[in-house]
Amino acid sequence: LGAPPRSERRRVLQRAARRSRPTSAANRSKPAAGAAAPRRVLTSTVGNSFTAMADNDDSLEDASSEEDEDYDYTHTPASPADIDNIIAEFDQEMRKTLAPSISGSPKQWWKKTEDGSPTYTSPSRLAQRLHEVADELEGALVSKPKTVATTDIKPFPSLAEEALKDAEDPCRIYWDMTFVFRTISDEDRKKLSEEAAEPPRKDFTPRKTHWRHHRKKKPFNHEVFVKKAQLAGLVTSSYLSTQEDEIYVRVGATHERLRNQADNIDFQMPLHEARLRTLARRGLPEQHIAPMDIPERTPPADGAHAFSRFRAFEYIHGKFDTKEELEPLYLRTHEHAYHGGVSERSLFNSMRRLKLIWSCLNDDRSKGGANIPIEKHVAKGKHGATRETLLAALAMHDRTERKYLFDVWVRAPWATPPQRMPLEAYKEYFGEKQGLLMAFKAHITQGYGLMAVFGIVVMLWWAAIHAKSGEREKYEITASGSIVIYAAVVALWSICNTEIWKRTERTYALEWGMVGYEEKEQRRPQFKGLHDMHDPVSGRPGAFYPPYKRRRRTLCGVWVTCLCIAVNLLFLLLCVWMKTEEGTELYFGLKGLGFDQKFYMIATVLNSFGILLFKEGYERIAVRLTDAENWMTDTVYADKLIAKLTAFNFINSYFSLFYVIFFMKMPGHKQDKFEKLQKSLIILLASVIVSTNMTGFALPYLKLYKKMAREGGIDAHGEEQKVSVPENSYMMVECDEQLDNIKATTQEATQYGYITLFSAAFPGAPLMAFVNNMFQMRTDGYKYLCTYRRIQPYGVEDIGTYQSIFELMNYTGVMSSFLSIIYRTRVIPKYWPERWGGGWPEHSPTKHQLDCVFMVCCGFFACVVLVIRLLIDDVPFDVELQIKRNDFLNSKIIDHVADEADTALSPTALTVAVEVKDRDTMEPYSTYDKLFGRGLEEAVRKSKKSRRGLCGPSRPGLLRPTLRPRPMPRSRLPFLPPGRLTLGDRPT
């Protein structure tokens, strides 16, 4: 279905190649009987070399097409050795022509063979010849019918029939992924035919001199995909969509295939605690491993205290192995704390099956994979590439696990604390990466709740003072000590919050088996290395991209980012200027008419919308810049993208607020500045919250209905139509997990910055953030279960660069609080001692005194941060202990590393004799002066004499130079004793 008509193109090219093919002494063949001229084509008998080439070139299509039955195979055959010689010849010729030449002109050469006939005079002619060779190879595969895996080999049992089988039946098939391919339209067929009929290009560019760049790429359609998937041991089933414009290919794997792949990639699996303890205490005598009874408490004499919150065999993960004796150790799905509603006994739940099937498709053949870069083909197919038809890779929902997670997460009581939400069940369905980000949101939401309580208390205090007295000076917040207390509490909370998260993050990595994950991370499918270059570390086949090339692209990205920041600053300065009296009076004439305060609010709203638009625009630019930098792993790619977004968003989100509090010239009371800052903060924070919920929850619904109407899920009357389950999944909103997670966490960092930087002006900001996050935690679960396509699960060890970003927000927030309180409030003048020049409101401290206060506050805060870091370890002791236990048990139970004490002993070590002698018999006794004093000088002099003796007497005719040492005064030799000084045997 949808295969392009390549038979006509193949016949035309092969006939043109036979007509224009030059002959040489090495490649001539005798004409067949009755033939008018010698013709070299390939017969149907193909040797082993062609079979190997056909297996390696997986992009070749099914050669058993009925359209090729009229092709003539009665030509004079060429042996496989001839074709190998042709390929070797032209590859050697192309390599010879790679020498540097004058840029801007094609490389020309003239070489003569042994018989004097000239060879090709340009690389373009070689490229044309190589096209002919490629067509000959293709013709060879055409002439020999080849069995290609198709989609309709045999009917498979339905999903309901598969569910009746045992969960660990080796033949049970799990259909967990579906791939959507676009059918080839008539327009695409025409394009392919035109490309096939194009003559070889005549121009030659030095950047693409290798022969593989001149060969046309093969299309990647559903037939090629099915062939590669089935060669990797997977099963497929294909069908047409309701509208017959897509081909859906279900991909499944048997339980035995999943086990083998888990063994190939050393897949990490949780181990059963009780069975692991039993095996460890019994030991493995056949492997020379003694019993292991790991203590969990101190001795009874010491009180039998528990020194770790983890039991000795708790949260132990090990790589999967198909050995029969290790099979019972692995935890089954129904034995998990959050089993997801699955009651059957199985090794892999849906999340782990998706990981293994993804590995079967993406990993290279050395790890048992099909070596298909799925994400790369999907990106090309979505952009409408003619030869790329893959539109989407769908991870199918598991109905039982999905229903369970919807019940315990989306319908969780609103009174449930954030960190009491079933994060383990969330992780078991969406993967460790999504689970860790949700755990981080729960952690920070818990902190918002604590600060919201304190902020409400402060605001009630201000309201009570305001109601008690109507005088301005008495209820002015800029002269109240409460603002100092609140700012100090926010600073301490922010520091402790990030330090505690480091410990929590490491605990999650232990419990979820993600310790050391980044060290084993695979490279991105979009990564492009140098051609014909192996790994510079191991020398084995790999990919490498030189730093000097990336440095140019990175520098270009920095310049583009600076340009975007400059344009953004111009807009922000315009918005800030509109808020001033000059801007209001000059352009709008609203001063004195009573609209100046309202126009300030209008300018702030305009500023908030501009911030959102600039943020969305730069996100697209940053993604393109980071893609161009060509980073190898997803972790490094995410870190670089996050750094760009953070640098831009910091200016975009906070510049106007910094300008209001520090740089805006406003005559009158300082209270007015704080009121303006408070209004601006409320509007900007509210706009961020509303835009986040609109783009993350409401907008996906509109996209869902729009796509359902386009794909046939809804008819013209608005009624839903019955379609297949994969078609329903394809209609759901596409989720780019990496980019969506980066955007979501960036918005979380922006919200966190508003609280740590400026919440002293508005203590109700933590309450707004707390309510928003509590709502988002449930809506995120709902949209990922009911609106978005299922997320392909990935692993992750930590939140990466965001840890440093949140710490930077903490330090910047403390500095901002100090500066605003000291220089923009009346707290310091009000409480300044009179003996130092105080006496508010008549007298105020000088600017030099305020600078001293600022430096003292900064130094005190640095000491507090240092003490907190010393008291709170990044990795708790019990977590570090459990990681060591995990490594030890893996080495003994899984890898069977023998104990060191079981090494063979020598026979002489069996007898032990202890004897103390009267004197040392190893060497004679000596004095200190002989060893380290004058005896050392005497030994040096004797060694010089011995060297002279080895040289022998001087021969006649040769003059030996006499070295006369210069006299040296005694004052320059203070280290020698008084008396006669000697240098060797000569007196001086």
Side-chain angles (χ1 to χ4, degrees):
L1 293 173
R6 300 189 57 194
S7 58
E8 182 179 356
R9 166 184 173 270
R10 186 181 298 118
R11 288 194 296 271
V12 171
L13 287 180
Q14 287 174 344
R15 290 168 185 169
R18 287 194 299 271
R19 287 194 300 268
S20 61
R21 182 179 298 113
T23 57
S24 60
N27 296 325
R28 292 194 184 100
S29 58
K30 296 182 179 181
R39 294 185 296 177
R40 293 178 60 255
V41 295
L42 297 177
T43 185
S44 59
T45 305
V46 185
N48 295 330
S49 60
F50 289 122
T51 304
M53 293 182 66
D55 292 337
N56 291 332
D57 190 3
D58 293 323
S59 62
L60 293 177
E61 298 181 82
D62 187 1
S64 58
S65 175
E66 297 179 357
E67 300 178 0
D68 295 329
E69 293 180 355
D70 59 343
Y71 191 80
D72 186 12
Y73 299 116
T74 60
H75 309 291
T76 303
S79 65
D82 293 336
I83 301 301
D84 290 340
N85 293 335
I86 293 174
I87 294 178
E89 173 191 349
F90 284 99
D91 185 65
Q92 183 180 6
E93 290 290 337
M94 290 301 294
R95 292 181 182 276
K96 289 180 181 179
T97 61
L98 295 181
S101 64
I102 302 175
S103 60
S105 62
K107 292 181 287 186
Q108 303 286 341
W109 76 97
W110 187 273
K111 178 184 175 184
K112 294 184 178 181
T113 57
E114 297 178 357
D115 57 354
S117 59
T119 58
Y120 308 105
T121 59
S122 67
S124 60
R125 183 66 187 89
L126 283 182
Q128 180 181 0
R129 179 70 180 112
L130 193 64
H131 276 299
E132 298 169 1
V133 175
D135 289 330
E136 289 177 354
L137 294 178
E138 192 175 11
L141 296 176
V142 169
S143 61
K144 179 180 179 181
K146 181 181 177 182
T147 303
V148 179
T150 58
T151 58
D152 299 323
I153 298 178
K154 61 179 180 179
F156 293 103
S158 63
L159 296 184
E161 294 174 349
E162 290 287 352
L164 297 177
K165 298 180 181 179
D166 184 69
E168 295 189 1
D169 185 353
C171 298
R172 177 172 176 177
I173 302 175
Y174 293 94
W175 302 90
D176 288 312
M177 293 202 73
T178 301
F179 295 84
V180 184
F181 290 86
R182 171 173 47 86
T183 57
I184 301 296
S185 62
D186 295 336
E187 183 179 354
D188 292 338
R189 294 175 187 272
K190 185 177 180 181
K191 286 183 180 180
L192 292 174
S193 301
E194 292 176 354
E195 290 179 5
E198 287 180 358
R201 61 181 190 177
K202 303 299 181 183
D203 58 335
F204 179 77
T205 55
R207 296 181 64 182
K208 293 186 177 181
T209 54
H210 200 271
W211 59 269
R212 65 164 55 94
H213 295 290
H214 297 279
R215 187 173 182 181
K216 291 182 173 61
K217 295 182 179 179
K218 300 293 182 179
F220 183 81
N221 51 26
H222 76 284
E223 294 181 356
V224 178
F225 172 80
V226 166
K227 172 191 168 183
K228 290 187 175 184
Q230 292 188 356
L231 289 177
L234 302 175
V235 293
T236 59
S237 177
S238 306
Y239 64 93
L240 276 173
S241 64
T242 305
Q243 296 179 335
E244 299 185 358
D245 56 346
E246 291 109 5
I247 300 173
Y248 286 81
V249 180
R250 283 182 177 266
V251 176
T254 61
H255 182 73
E256 184 67 21
R257 180 68 184 91
L258 295 175
R259 291 177 69 255
N260 293 334
Q261 187 64 20
D263 191 3
N264 292 336
I265 63 176
D266 293 337
F267 191 71
Q268 291 292 317
M269 289 283 293
L271 303 182
H272 193 277
E273 181 181 357
R275 293 192 285 267
L276 179 63
R277 180 187 292 109
T278 302
L279 181 61
R281 290 179 176 177
R282 189 179 65 219
L284 300 172
E286 63 278 4
Q287 304 293 339
H288 302 284
I289 298 176
M292 294 166 283
D293 190 5
I294 302 177
E296 299 176 355
R297 293 179 177 272
T298 58
D302 194 49
H305 298 291
F307 50 84
S308 174
R309 53 179 165 162
F310 303 110
R311 297 182 293 272
F313 300 94
E314 189 179 12
Y315 298 120
I316 302 298
H317 290 74
K319 61 183 180 181
F320 187 84
D321 201 310
T322 54
K323 295 178 181 178
E324 186 177 355
E325 62 271 15
L326 297 178
E327 191 80 12
L329 284 180
Y330 300 110
L331 200 66
R332 265 53 181 181
T333 53
H334 69 285
E335 297 170 339
H336 284 274
Y338 290 95
H339 47 77
V342 178
S343 59
E344 60 183 7
R345 173 189 173 89
S346 177
L347 274 172
F348 312 110
N349 61 354
S350 64
M351 184 266 291
R352 292 181 174 84
R353 294 198 302 266
L354 285 172
K355 282 186 175 182
L356 292 173
I357 293 178
W358 190 259
S359 173
C360 291
L361 293 170
N362 283 269
D363 288 351
D364 54 16
R365 294 180 177 86
S366 62
K367 296 182 180 180
N371 197 19
I372 306 175
I374 300 295
E375 295 178 352
K376 186 176 180 180
H377 287 298
V378 169
K380 291 182 178 180
K382 288 191 299 184
H383 286 84
T386 306
R387 298 177 177 271
E388 299 286 343
T389 61
L390 181 58
L391 298 177
L394 306 177
M396 304 304 296
H397 282 282
D398 186 279
R399 297 186 181 183
T400 305
E401 298 180 19
R402 176 174 170 269
K403 180 181 177 181
Y404 175 81
L405 183 61
F406 187 89
D407 188 36
V408 300
W409 186 273
V410 180
R411 295 182 177 177
W414 286 94
T416 306
Q419 291 187 323
R420 295 289 183 180
M421 296 287 285
L423 294 171
E424 184 73 19
Y426 193 89
K427 180 266 301 182
E428 285 295 323
Y429 192 75
F430 292 117
E432 293 83 3
K433 185 175 184 178
Q434 198 71 21
L436 186 65
L437 293 177
M438 185 58 70
F440 176 69
K441 177 173 281 191
H443 172 80
I444 201 128
T445 305
Q446 191 98 348
Y448 287 156
L450 297 176
M451 287 306 304
V453 174
F454 188 73
I456 292 173
V457 172
V458 172
M459 293 190 71
L460 290 176
W461 184 7
W462 291 352
I465 295 176
H466 175 70
K468 185 177 180 180
S469 176
E471 298 181 6
R472 184 181 182 86
E473 297 294 338
K474 291 185 178 181
Y475 68 86
E476 181 187 355
I477 62 173
T478 57
S480 175
S482 60
I483 191 173
V484 179
I485 297 174
Y486 180 78
V489 171
V490 169
L492 290 176
W493 164 78
S494 61
I495 297 299
C496 295
N497 193 57
T498 52
E499 292 297 322
I500 293 174
W501 169 249
K502 292 180 182 179
R503 300 166 58 89
T504 308
E505 181 182 60
R506 200 62 178 170
T507 304
Y508 281 128
L510 168 69
E511 295 177 356
W512 297 350
M514 290 289 109
V515 177
Y517 173 81
E518 294 182 0
E519 300 176 0
K520 300 175 288 186
E521 189 177 10
Q522 301 294 326
R523 66 172 181 260
R524 301 172 64 237
Q526 297 86 351
F527 176 75
K528 299 177 182 178
L530 293 180
H531 294 291
D532 300 331
M533 180 172 179
H534 295 321
D535 188 356
V537 177
S538 61
R540 297 181 178 180
F544 175 74
Y545 192 71
Y548 70 89
K549 288 190 175 182
R550 181 179 290 117
R551 194 178 299 116
R552 293 197 296 261
R553 300 187 178 189
T554 305
L555 185 61
C556 178
V558 171
W559 280 108
V560 173
T561 301
C562 293
L563 180 61
C564 294
I565 291 176
V567 175
N568 185 30
L569 279 175
L570 291 177
F571 170 77
L572 295 175
L573 287 173
L574 177 62
C575 293
V576 170
W577 180 77
M578 289 170 58
K579 300 176 185 179
T580 60
E581 295 182 359
E582 293 82 358
T584 304
E585 181 180 6
L586 181 59
Y587 278 89
F588 301 96
L590 299 177
K591 185 178 180 182
L593 300 179
F595 296 99
D596 50 347
Q597 293 296 329
K598 295 181 180 179
F599 185 75
Y600 180 87
M601 301 291 293
I602 295 174
T604 305
V605 172
L606 178 63
N607 186 16
S608 63
F609 277 106
I611 288 174
L612 298 177
L613 292 177
F614 273 97
K615 181 177 73 69
E616 291 293 332
Y618 181 73
E619 281 179 354
R620 299 185 180 184
I621 296 175
V623 170
R624 291 181 177 272
L625 293 176
T626 312
D627 288 339
E629 292 172 3
N630 194 25
W631 299 103
M632 180 176 288
T633 61
D634 286 329
T635 301
V636 180
Y637 175 87
D639 291 343
K640 301 303 179 182
L641 180 57
I642 290 168
K644 293 182 180 66
L645 294 177
T646 303
F648 183 84
N649 287 333
F650 189 87
I651 303 296
N652 186 39
S653 302
Y654 309 131
F655 175 80
S656 58
L657 298 178
F658 276 118
Y659 187 89
V660 169
I661 190 62
F662 293 118
F663 303 105
M664 179 179 286
K665 294 181 180 180
M666 184 179 296
H669 214 276
K670 291 185 177 181
Q671 175 75 9
D672 298 336
K673 279 195 173 183
F674 258 71
E675 289 180 355
K676 289 185 178 296
L677 177 64
Q678 189 178 70
K679 294 177 182 178
S680 301
L681 178 61
I682 293 174
I683 293 174
L684 292 178
L685 183 58
S687 65
V688 169
I689 292 175
V690 172
S691 64
T692 301
N693 289 282
M694 289 294 294
T695 57
F697 185 69
L699 187 60
Y701 263 106
L702 300 178
K703 294 181 179 179
L704 175 62
Y705 282 105
K706 182 180 179 181
K707 193 161 187 180
M708 288 178 66
R710 186 174 68 247
E711 296 296 334
I714 299 178
D715 60 8
H717 302 286
E719 297 181 0
E720 295 188 8
Q721 302 297 315
K722 288 186 178 181
V723 294
S724 64
V725 176
E727 287 183 82
N728 277 297
S729 298
Y730 181 62
M731 294 176 192
M732 300 176 77
V733 181
E734 182 180 5
C735 179
D736 187 346
E737 184 196 13
Q738 187 176 36
L739 187 57
D740 288 353
N741 287 336
I742 290 175
K743 290 181 178 180
T745 314
T746 302
Q747 292 172 352
E748 186 67 43
T750 303
Q751 180 178 262
Y752 183 82
Y754 282 126
I755 294 175
T756 56
L757 294 173
F758 307 105
S759 65
F762 179 55
L767 178 61
M768 296 176 62
F770 174 76
V771 174
N772 175 51
N773 281 18
M774 289 290 290
F775 178 74
Q776 276 190 357
M777 288 181 67
R778 286 158 177 80
T779 56
D780 285 350
Y782 180 83
K783 72 180 183 182
Y784 288 139
L785 290 173
C786 303
T787 309
Y788 282 65
R789 299 172 187 171
R790 183 173 181 178
I791 298 174
Q792 178 65 34
Y794 292 100
V796 72
E797 188 173 359
D798 50 42
I799 61 173
T801 309
Y802 279 114
Q803 180 69 38
S804 304
I805 291 173
F806 278 84
E807 291 180 357
L808 179 63
M809 290 290 184
N810 296 339
Y811 303 143
T812 310
V814 172
M815 300 293 290
S816 174
S817 300
F818 285 161
L819 288 172
S820 59
I821 291 175
I822 293 174
Y823 295 101
R824 291 295 180 266
T825 66
R826 299 189 179 185
V827 176
I828 301 300
K830 183 177 180 179
Y831 297 99
W832 192 256
E834 293 184 1
R835 59 178 180 175
W836 291 348
W840 186 76
E842 290 81 8
H843 303 284
S844 299
T846 62
K847 187 177 183 302
H848 175 69
Q849 291 174 330
L850 293 178
D851 294 340
C852 293
V853 172
F854 176 73
M855 288 187 290
V856 170
C857 291
C858 291
F860 177 76
F861 173 74
C863 294
V864 171
V865 171
L866 181 61
V867 171
I868 291 176
R869 289 199 166 188
L870 290 176
L871 294 178
I872 302 178
D873 296 330
D874 292 346
V875 182
F877 166 76
D878 48 7
V879 173
E880 187 175 1
L881 176 65
Q882 201 70 6
I883 292 175
K884 294 179 179 179
R885 287 173 174 173
N886 187 89
D887 296 340
F888 172 75
L889 291 173
N890 268 273
S891 64
K892 298 299 181 182
I893 304 299
I894 306 296
D895 298 332
H896 293 167
V897 178
D899 294 339
E900 292 80 359
D902 292 337
T903 56
L905 300 176
S906 61
T908 57
L910 300 178
T911 57
V912 179
V914 179
E915 180 182 1
V916 180
K917 300 180 181 179
D918 296 336
R919 294 176 61 86
D920 183 15
T921 58
M922 304 304 296
E923 56 181 336
Y925 285 46
S926 179
T927 62
Y928 173 82
D929 187 62
K930 188 174 182 180
L931 291 176
F932 304 102
R934 297 181 180 178
L936 181 61
E937 182 180 355
E938 185 69 22
V940 171
R941 186 165 55 249
K942 289 181 179 180
S943 64
K944 288 184 178 181
K945 289 182 178 180
S946 62
R947 286 199 298 269
R948 291 175 183 174
L950 290 176
C951 295
S954 59
R955 290 180 294 175
L958 295 178
L959 298 178
R960 299 183 61 185
T962 303
L963 300 178
R964 296 181 178 273
R966 296 176 58 186
M968 186 176 296
R970 186 180 300 273
S971 60
R972 297 182 61 181
L973 301 173
F975 52 87
L976 294 179
R980 184 179 178 86
L981 301 179
T982 61
L983 183 64
D985 55 351
R986 293 176 178 271
T988 58

